[in-house]
Amino acid sequence: MPTKKPMNVKILAIAVGVYIVAAIVSFLVFNNLSGGTAITPVAQPKKTANGKLLFDPELPKTESCPINGAMYSKQQKAWWEKHAPLGVMIENHLEARPQSGLSSADIVYEAVAEGGITRFLAIFYCQDAEFIGPVRSARTYFVDMVSEYGPSPLYAHVGGANTPGPANALGQISDYGWAGVNDLNQFSIGFPVYVRDYDRLGRTVATEHTVYSSTTKLWDYASKSRKLTSKNTEGEEWNTDYISYKFKADAASSARPKSQSVGFNFWNGYGDYAVSYTYDPVSNTYKRTNGGTAHKDLNTKAQLSPKNVVVLYMKESRANDGYEGNLHMIYGTKGTGNATVFRDGEEIDATWSKKNRTSHLFIKDKRGQDIEFNKGQIWFEIVAPDTTVTVK
């Protein structure tokens, strides 16, 4: 007479059978829904000893950066979707050159900060920069520009203009509810998110030209200490109302001119800050010169070469806020004005419009159509309306 199997053995056998059947059914259903292609997790990027992210260069570039249209891999997209855009103030004093990180920015805005000396607002989202700097103080018109990148754009700087009046950047940051939240002021954060590197440029410079950070440090701090990721503290995704520019493929090689040069000076008599761009038809980029010297990124040692250059003619005036020497500047960043777009070796007459601080900066051609930019870095140059731009 056969021996009966214990009840727990029967139960175990049934459970195993149910699990196997369920696993097979799940695989078949999921595989069918995904078009017969098994989906594998996206690999995480590797990191260097200095914290720089290393994305797999062999992966196909199928994903468009929403900020400037540049193409990257799914691996890189999976990374950038975890954070919000980051604006960093980078100075352009002679003692600050060459700067670190500008070539990795998706968009760069340049305008005079004071005394004819220009400053940059670099927007980072789709790329990582191992070092950024020298980081300097906030200015109100740059606050206007970073404000279009979501309800709580990350804004990194070292202090800022704070004299009561129209140029009071720190006061405005407080009024907007950014202070202690998405405002990443070095005065309230400090080491190790921000460091002072007295040797990075290989020469002695004043203390104000020594503050550096990195995108990884700033994004990590925002996430861990301020609970800011791709969402703000209210749970809003940064890009809910964000408007992307329109992008196109580069002009065919045969359609590109052999040469084009663009040059201008922000203020007459300040040649150290004069800018020129030389069009390179092979790469379809504009090689930047600053003060008569090739403008390079210390991180890469390569010359800065945006795909698109946009000159914005905006009303320029003194703040008259009682600051020493009346050096604080303000620009008419809201409203409308003329612009010139350089792309594919072309010069395009255009207009700009920005309804209010948080609205998108639209760039349209003379027919009122949105300009389509080439996929890659966009460099916005803010100059006074009477600035002479020489094009050859």
Side-chain angles (χ1 to χ4, degrees):
M1 186 173 182
T3 304
K4 291 184 178 180
K5 293 183 180 179
M7 184 62 67
N8 59 346
V9 174
K10 288 184 177 180
I11 293 173
L12 178 61
I14 292 171
V16 170
V18 170
Y19 173 80
I20 293 172
V21 171
I24 292 173
V25 171
S26 296
F27 172 79
L28 292 174
V29 171
F30 188 74
N31 195 48
N32 185 58
L33 291 175
S34 62
T37 302
I39 297 177
T40 57
V42 177
Q44 293 296 309
K46 297 179 180 179
K47 281 188 178 181
T48 66
N50 290 326
K52 179 176 175 56
L53 296 176
L54 299 176
F55 299 98
D56 187 346
E58 300 302 320
L59 293 174
K61 293 177 171 51
T62 58
E63 310 305 312
S64 175
C65 174
I67 307 294
N68 67 10
M71 302 302 292
Y72 300 103
S73 67
K74 292 183 183 298
Q75 180 190 48
Q76 201 152 340
K77 180 181 181 180
W79 164 78
W80 79 53
E81 287 186 328
K82 296 176 182 177
H83 55 245
L86 165 67
V88 184
M89 296 305 309
I90 300 178
E91 66 165 318
N92 194 31
H93 191 279
L94 289 176
E95 291 194 3
R97 302 176 193 171
Q99 297 88 347
S100 297
L102 286 173
S103 64
S104 297
D106 301 314
I107 288 179
V108 180
Y109 302 85
E110 181 179 18
V112 171
E114 58 184 54
I117 300 172
T118 64
R119 190 164 297 177
F120 309 112
L121 167 65
I123 304 295
F124 298 91
Y125 180 62
C126 295
Q127 296 190 81
D128 169 56
E130 184 176 7
F131 295 102
I132 308 173
V135 183
R136 284 299 292 271
S137 57
R139 291 294 184 269
T140 181
Y141 35 93
F142 290 123
V143 173
D144 288 346
M145 292 303 177
V146 78
S147 290
E148 77 168 85
Y149 296 95
S152 303
L154 301 178
Y155 185 47
H157 57 98
V158 180
N162 62 354
T163 307
N168 186 3
L170 294 188
Q172 291 160 0
I173 287 170
S174 179
D175 291 342
Y176 302 153
W178 292 7
V181 187
N182 54 299
D183 181 53
L184 305 180
N185 188 349
Q186 185 263 347
F187 285 5
S188 62
I189 298 175
F191 184 85
V193 177
Y194 292 96
V195 298
R196 289 194 179 274
D197 191 337
Y198 290 88
D199 302 317
R200 183 155 175 73
L201 295 178
R203 62 181 187 275
T204 302
V205 297
T207 298
E208 62 264 31
H209 309 304
T210 62
V211 177
Y212 291 86
S213 189
S214 72
T215 54
T216 296
K217 286 181 178 180
L218 292 164
W219 275 316
D220 283 353
Y221 178 85
S223 175
K224 295 173 182 177
S225 299
R226 304 284 178 83
K227 308 305 179 186
L228 298 170
T229 55
S230 64
K231 299 179 180 180
N232 64 11
T233 54
E234 304 299 320
E236 300 172 286
E237 284 285 351
W238 79 266
N239 58 357
T240 298
D241 296 317
Y242 177 71
I243 300 173
S244 292
Y245 287 110
K246 294 183 178 179
F247 306 105
K248 67 172 193 63
D250 285 11
S253 298
S254 59
R256 302 172 193 171
K258 293 182 178 179
S259 65
Q260 183 189 57
S261 64
V262 180
F264 58 91
N265 203 347
F266 289 88
W267 284 13
N268 291 331
Y270 287 77
D272 287 335
Y273 300 92
V275 170
S276 65
Y277 289 97
T278 301
Y279 176 64
D280 175 22
V282 176
S283 62
N284 202 28
T285 61
Y286 289 82
K287 296 187 177 299
R288 177 182 164 92
T289 298
N290 200 183
T293 302
H295 196 173
K296 297 184 178 182
D297 188 327
L298 189 60
N299 288 354
T300 64
K301 308 300 187 294
Q303 188 170 2
L304 299 172
S305 302
K307 296 283 286 189
N308 314 270
V309 177
V310 183
V311 180
L312 303 171
Y313 299 93
M314 294 182 169
K315 182 181 178 181
E316 178 187 79
S317 59
R318 304 280 184 165
N320 296 316
D321 57 0
Y323 184 69
E324 182 180 357
N326 198 17
L327 291 176
H328 283 163
M329 305 299 300
I330 53 176
Y331 287 89
T333 56
K334 295 175 280 291
T336 61
N338 293 322
T340 307
V341 176
F342 297 95
R343 181 206 68 189
D344 294 325
E346 294 180 291
E347 177 185 2
I348 305 171
D349 289 334
T351 61
W352 66 266
S353 64
K354 185 173 172 66
K355 185 176 180 181
N356 53 46
R357 175 178 64 86
T358 59
S359 63
H360 180 61
L361 175 67
F362 286 97
I363 309 296
K364 297 181 180 291
D365 63 23
K366 291 300 185 179
R367 298 173 300 165
Q369 301 298 310
D370 288 326
I371 293 287
E372 292 184 320
F373 291 109
N374 284 332
K375 299 174 181 180
Q377 189 179 70
I378 306 171
W379 202 294
F380 288 103
E381 303 283 8
I382 300 174
V383 302
D386 61 352
T387 301
T388 299
V389 177
T390 303
V391 183
K392 297 180 181 178

